[in-house]
Amino acid sequence: MSDLVQLTKDGEIAVITINNPPVNALSPGVPEGIKESVEASIQDDAVKGIVIIGGGRTFIAGADIKEFGKMTSGKKDRGVGFNPILKIVENCPKPIVAAIHGTAFGGGLETAMACHYRVAVPSALVGQPEVKLGIIPGAGGTQRLPRLAGVAVAAEMCAVGNPVPAPQAHEAGIVDKIIDGDLLEGAVAFARELVAAGKPPRKTCDQTDKISDQAANQKALAAVRDKVAKRARGLMAPGKAIDAVEAATKLPFEEGVAREQELFKECLHSDQSKAMIHVFFGERAVAKVPGIAKDHPKIEIKRAAVVGGGTMGGGITMNYANAGIPVLFKEISDEALEKGLSIIKKNYAATVSKGRLTQEQMDQRMALIEPTTSYDKFKEADIVVEAVFEEMALKKKVFAELEKVTRPDAILASNTSTLNIDEIASATSKPDYVIGHHFFSPANVMRVVEIVRGKQSSDTVIATSMAIAKKINKVGILVGNCRGFVGNRMFHCYQREAQFLLEEGARVEQVDKVLYDYGMAMGPLAVGDLAGLDVGWRIRKEYKHLEPEGIRQPLVVDQICEMGRFGQKTGAGWYKYEAGSRAPIPDPEVQKLIEETAAKAGIERREISDQEILERTLYALVNEGATILAEGIALRAVDIDMLYILGYGFPAQRGGPMWYADTVGLKNVYERVCEFEKQHGSLWAPSPLLKELAESGKTFADYDASKA
Ligand code: 3HC
Ligand code: NAI
């Protein structure tokens, strides 16, 4: 018997326990262990019923995702495959009960559905999240789930991929019984009852009552198709998942399983699934900081404080309250405090009205927020996040005050988006406790935080920052201290090229459409209008003295700002907007301004292809990203990828800018960058790291592997 699967007996009930920590994935050895255990139980006359359960914290969380890479690269011996093993489970002449706690995801739920009955603890989750990896269920999930739960529920679960809590799964017919006490005891008792009642095995594949109404099936499938067309733009797997569920309604079970296999393989071999699997592991990789062990001592954050209750401070305060951490919310006046609080309340109330939060939960969260205009209680705070105006002198004043009013072991974090963390830290005598926590707007929604390491930020402060990011449901990405840090420094290059392209002949809506069609949440110019063009305008004015002479700068944006066109908030920016609408309308006035400005500057206008727009904007990201990597400002290419996907609307199915460059081939990217340098000058000087990787036939993924 495999070490990963144990077979024991509780009287006449065989208990098969999967022990493959941490999540009991179906790694090599686990399916074989299940098969051998079921076969041994069939042979054993003393066994009358069987329970399959997960050891440790969960049932089976799915196939082993690491194995997919081996399958697509041909390195994996396919063995007998999982479907035939599930057939052995389903055909077992003795009743088999799956006992679910933690998560039964993907191949885990597929295993449970091949069993004859399913019981679960109330906290368990079941789901077919494969689409989040760019694939579809590949072990009968799309065939068995509609038979248990009906087509509407199954299509939604397979095409959207969200987990379903056990009580809901019970209502839907996926779970037969909720066990309130000890799961194993309850499952064994359930199996005994089946045996005592002489219940024969109940095969899911034989059930057809929930899939026989073809008119209802078509209606349900059309509704989910419509939903994913709107929400899963550019993704291949959701549509294929629905096709597979449709096959369950039209084909006999075995043929449906074969059709599912074809669709599964199409997805598995696509670039999309490779990119999305990179993203799955990327989210976990960025949590690991080389040189700081997982168990490095951390400061316990029992109470937080936020200074500055404007756009960002309000959102950051909500993040702490959402995680159940009491938080002081400080402003300069009662009026400012009231304004900040009313926005927080409005945000929560909107979530309540959408049914995603109860009034009681909202009240609990509001009760955790303590508004104040003084530093009186700051001695209680374990961490302070500063979010006052973006002015160095003010930040330094606030940090000097904070040192006096907090305990010596309190972390002092700044949400600055552009200022030098070391200079801010110099206003205190404890720079080792100072760090950047750069949240993205809206801070209560966006899932990423750049954790900006100052020269002297201590390992404990870094480790605590990464842990608190996770606690407040964010992905913390550790970056170095430089102007714009990683995200905005790269984004500056991307937006710069978008604007140069306008001067050279592209139209505003053309540039945005190319990047939107590529999969970006919004085009670069529309993003400028959303964020407010005045923000960058003010920063450019403040830093003008630092700009090197003789370097080409975009010429139009500052003129647009001088016209009072700050973007959506003023009803006009790169586009114009009708009152109360966010829909961008191309504006001939802006087009005229661009053409006149280009003529004055002697820029020759020409037809710009969509391909050039894509390459100029994306390779600008990649080239700067490579420089940032070589400088050690980003730890790994995957950190940049995750930052872009979570913070800048970069499409997950492209894997992030650095992964995308790998898929294009770094030699190709490098050659285009060299051409752009010839055409456009030193802004396009290729990063030495890009050159080195391209010339040695390597990838950014290889670079990351060398850092591991
Ligand atoms: N395969 C391989 N490794 C996995 C894995 C899987 N299915 N699921 C999790 N892991 C690894 C993680 O990479 C992580 O490794 P690390 O510690 O080295 O970074 C470790 O297990 C713990 O995972 P998390 O940090 O994510 O732990 P959480 O407790 O936060 O979350 C979870 C647990 C909810 C199970 C989450 O890991 C998860 O959602 N996993 C993926 C589930 C999934 O997508 N299943 C479907 C797989 S595809 C499939 O089954 C195809 C089938 O149809 C044939
Ligand atoms: P904001 O102008 O909306 O809010 C700043 C608030 O700070 C104001 O309400 C002001 O009254 C308050 N304040 C000023 N001095 C204070 C003091 N001594 N004590 C308490 N409160 C004080 O500004 P916003 O947009 O929230 O920006 C705050 C910080 O977040 C800045 O450093 C900015 O660069 C950064 N940031 C902003 C992003 C954005 O999109 N707005 C994104 C990421 C970071």
Side-chain angles (χ1 to χ4, degrees):
M1 204 66 58
S2 151
D3 287 348
L4 303 166
V5 181
Q6 279 89 44
L7 176 61
T8 53
K9 273 198 281 185
D10 183 341
E12 59 188 350
I13 306 299
V15 176
I16 299 173
T17 309
I18 322 290
N19 267 313
N20 183 25
V23 297
N24 291 329
L26 294 160
S27 314
V30 175
E32 294 76 5
I34 295 174
K35 172 177 173 281
E36 286 165 24
S37 302
V38 169
E39 285 172 342
S41 304
I42 295 171
Q43 294 303 318
D44 186 341
D45 288 340
V47 169
K48 304 292 178 208
I50 302 166
V51 166
I52 300 185
I53 192 165
R57 62 174 157 124
T58 184
F59 191 69
I60 301 164
D64 186 337
I65 301 167
K66 291 193 283 298
E67 296 297 307
F68 291 145
K70 297 181 199 158
M71 280 163 77
T72 50
S73 62
K75 283 190 199 138
K76 186 181 159 75
D77 165 17
R78 294 269 165 73
V80 290
F82 197 41
N83 271 320
I85 293 177
L86 291 186
K87 214 56 221 161
I88 292 169
V89 172
E90 193 163 46
N91 286 338
C92 173
K94 302 173 183 179
I96 307 192
V97 178
I100 303 170
H101 71 304
T103 51
F105 281 173
L109 180 56
E110 289 170 311
T111 304
M113 292 192 296
C115 296
H116 307 127
Y117 297 89
R118 287 148 295 280
V119 298
V121 295
S123 59
L125 295 170
V126 304
Q128 298 285 173
E130 287 88 343
V131 282
K132 298 191 178 180
L133 301 168
I135 55 174
I136 68 165
T142 62
Q143 306 304 300
R144 289 192 177 92
L145 192 52
R147 285 172 160 82
L148 291 178
V151 171
V153 171
E156 167 93 16
M157 282 177 69
C158 294
V160 179
N162 288 338
V164 174
Q168 247 168 281
H170 180 223
E171 263 170 48
I174 303 166
V175 165
D176 297 290
K177 189 178 180 193
I178 298 289
I179 305 277
D180 282 310
D182 181 80
L183 177 62
L184 180 57
E185 246 172 52
V188 168
F190 186 86
R192 273 205 184 102
E193 281 167 27
L194 294 171
V195 171
K199 288 249 170 116
R202 186 191 58 175
K203 293 189 199 178
T204 307
C205 66
D206 290 343
Q207 298 177 37
T208 51
D209 54 321
K210 289 197 176 174
I211 53 171
S212 52
D213 181 343
Q214 287 303 343
N217 293 343
Q218 284 309 316
K219 204 169 153 215
L221 291 165
V224 182
R225 275 207 176 93
D226 195 40
K227 183 169 175 179
V228 300
K230 285 189 194 118
R231 294 208 198 150
R233 181 169 57 93
L235 295 181
M236 170 183 175
K240 302 275 179 199
I242 301 172
D243 291 349
V245 172
E246 182 168 20
T249 68
K250 296 199 164 146
L251 301 173
F253 181 78
E254 295 302 341
E255 286 176 38
V257 168
R259 178 72 189 125
E260 179 194 79
Q261 265 305 292
E262 286 169 11
L263 294 164
F264 170 79
K265 283 183 189 154
E266 271 178 46
C267 292
L268 184 65
H269 287 270
S270 70
D271 283 346
Q272 289 199 354
S273 91
K274 289 174 196 147
M276 291 170 86
I277 288 170
H278 165 67
V279 172
F280 174 83
F281 287 115
E283 184 165 336
R284 284 140 188 95
V286 298
K288 293 168 192 147
V289 178
I292 303 183
K294 205 174 163 189
D295 58 357
H296 188 92
K298 296 174 191 73
I299 297 166
E300 198 188 341
I301 307 292
K302 294 192 291 293
R303 197 168 173 80
V306 173
V307 183
T311 311
M312 296 303 289
I316 297 167
T317 301
M318 288 173 76
N319 293 332
Y320 278 94
N322 294 346
I325 300 173
V327 51
L328 291 162
F329 180 62
K330 180 183 180 295
E331 257 295 345
I332 35 175
S333 65
D334 287 338
E335 203 188 353
L337 201 54
E338 200 34 60
K339 189 173 162 211
L341 271 178
S342 69
I343 295 171
I344 293 178
K345 272 189 209 143
K346 205 172 100 199
N347 283 337
Y348 276 137
T351 317
V352 171
S353 70
K354 285 182 201 140
R356 285 197 263 121
L357 194 72
T358 63
Q359 184 61 46
E360 195 189 351
Q361 284 168 320
M362 168 174 165
D363 296 343
Q364 281 163 0
R365 292 179 195 193
M366 284 307 299
L368 289 171
I369 300 173
E370 187 173 337
T372 178
T373 50
S374 83
Y375 284 130
D376 285 355
K377 289 197 174 170
F378 270 54
K379 283 267 183 296
E380 293 171 17
D382 304 296
I383 186 167
V384 182
V385 185
E386 165 278 314
V388 303
F389 302 125
E390 186 75 342
E391 289 163 26
M392 181 55 90
L394 175 64
K395 302 257 184 209
K396 283 171 98 168
K397 179 177 157 279
V398 169
F399 270 72
E401 283 165 8
L402 285 176
E403 180 172 15
K404 288 197 198 105
V405 298
T406 55
R407 292 194 318 270
D409 63 346
I411 296 179
L412 304 181
S414 173
N415 183 48
T416 179
S417 45
T418 54
L419 301 175
N420 185 333
I421 289 294
D422 292 327
E423 193 176 340
I424 296 174
S426 73
T428 73
S429 64
K430 52 169 215 180
D432 45 337
Y433 278 87
V434 177
I435 193 158
H437 283 192
H438 178 216
F439 288 82
F440 286 57
S441 180
N444 53 317
V445 177
M446 299 297 285
R447 276 193 66 219
V448 74
V449 188
E450 273 181 309
I451 306 287
V452 188
R453 169 188 221 154
K455 246 193 219 107
Q456 297 183 62
S457 310
S458 76
D459 285 358
T460 301
V461 166
I462 293 170
T464 307
S465 295
M466 298 298 285
I468 195 70
K470 186 161 188 195
K471 180 88 201 277
I472 61 175
N473 204 16
K474 305 282 166 189
V475 176
I477 298 183
L478 186 65
V479 299
N481 181 28
C482 67
R483 193 168 146 202
F485 313 129
V486 170
N488 285 343
R489 175 169 156 188
M490 286 172 62
F491 205 64
H492 173 76
C493 303
Y494 168 79
Q495 285 197 314
R496 176 197 76 205
E497 286 306 310
Q499 295 177 45
F500 287 165
L501 286 159
L502 299 181
E503 293 166 10
E504 291 164 33
R507 299 178 74 85
V508 173
E509 59 280 15
Q510 181 196 5
V511 171
D512 276 352
K513 182 172 185 313
V514 168
L515 286 146
Y516 180 79
D517 289 349
Y518 172 79
M520 299 295 289
M522 290 172 97
L525 302 156
V527 167
D529 275 1
L530 175 71
L533 300 175
D534 54 319
V535 180
W537 182 45
R538 293 214 172 90
I539 295 170
R540 278 191 297 281
K541 282 201 264 188
E542 185 167 336
Y543 283 109
K544 208 170 178 74
H545 61 287
L546 295 179
E547 288 303 340
E549 291 289 313
I551 299 280
R552 181 178 172 191
Q553 299 287 351
L555 300 170
V556 181
V557 67
D558 288 352
Q559 296 182 66
I560 292 188
C561 288
E562 273 147 28
M563 291 156 76
R565 301 176 65 122
F566 294 164
Q568 288 188 14
K569 59 185 162 189
T570 55
W574 288 108
Y575 296 92
K576 57 185 174 185
Y577 300 86
E578 275 166 7
S581 164
R582 287 172 176 272
I585 304 166
D587 190 344
E589 201 186 329
V590 170
Q591 184 59 27
K592 193 163 152 259
L593 177 69
I594 294 168
E595 286 170 16
E596 283 170 4
T597 307
K600 237 188 261 167
I603 298 167
E604 191 189 326
R605 286 175 64 79
R606 61 195 162 88
E607 194 65 33
I608 308 255
S609 71
D610 291 355
Q611 182 63 18
E612 180 175 350
I613 292 174
L614 207 58
E615 290 176 342
R616 289 269 295 276
T617 49
L618 296 181
Y619 297 174
L621 282 178
V622 174
N623 198 36
E624 188 67 12
T627 304
I628 283 173
L629 271 180
E631 287 172 5
I633 293 288
L635 289 168
R636 297 147 298 210
V638 69
D639 294 79
I640 298 179
D641 286 336
M642 292 314 299
L643 186 57
Y644 263 73
I645 289 167
L646 299 173
Y648 294 86
F650 202 96
Q653 70 271 23
R654 305 279 188 178
M658 311 312 272
W659 178 267
Y660 174 67
D662 279 354
T663 64
V664 174
L666 294 191
K667 187 169 168 289
N668 299 328
V669 175
Y670 172 64
E671 281 169 4
R672 287 299 278 152
V673 169
C674 292
E675 282 163 27
F676 293 149
E677 187 191 21
K678 277 196 205 117
Q679 291 158 12
H680 305 287
S682 63
L683 281 174
W684 275 101
S687 150
L689 177 63
L690 176 63
K691 180 173 191 280
E692 182 194 318
L693 294 174
E695 286 177 348
S696 55
K698 293 210 169 111
T699 59
F700 287 118
D702 294 330
Y703 175 84
D704 280 6
S706 75
K707 297 272 150 189

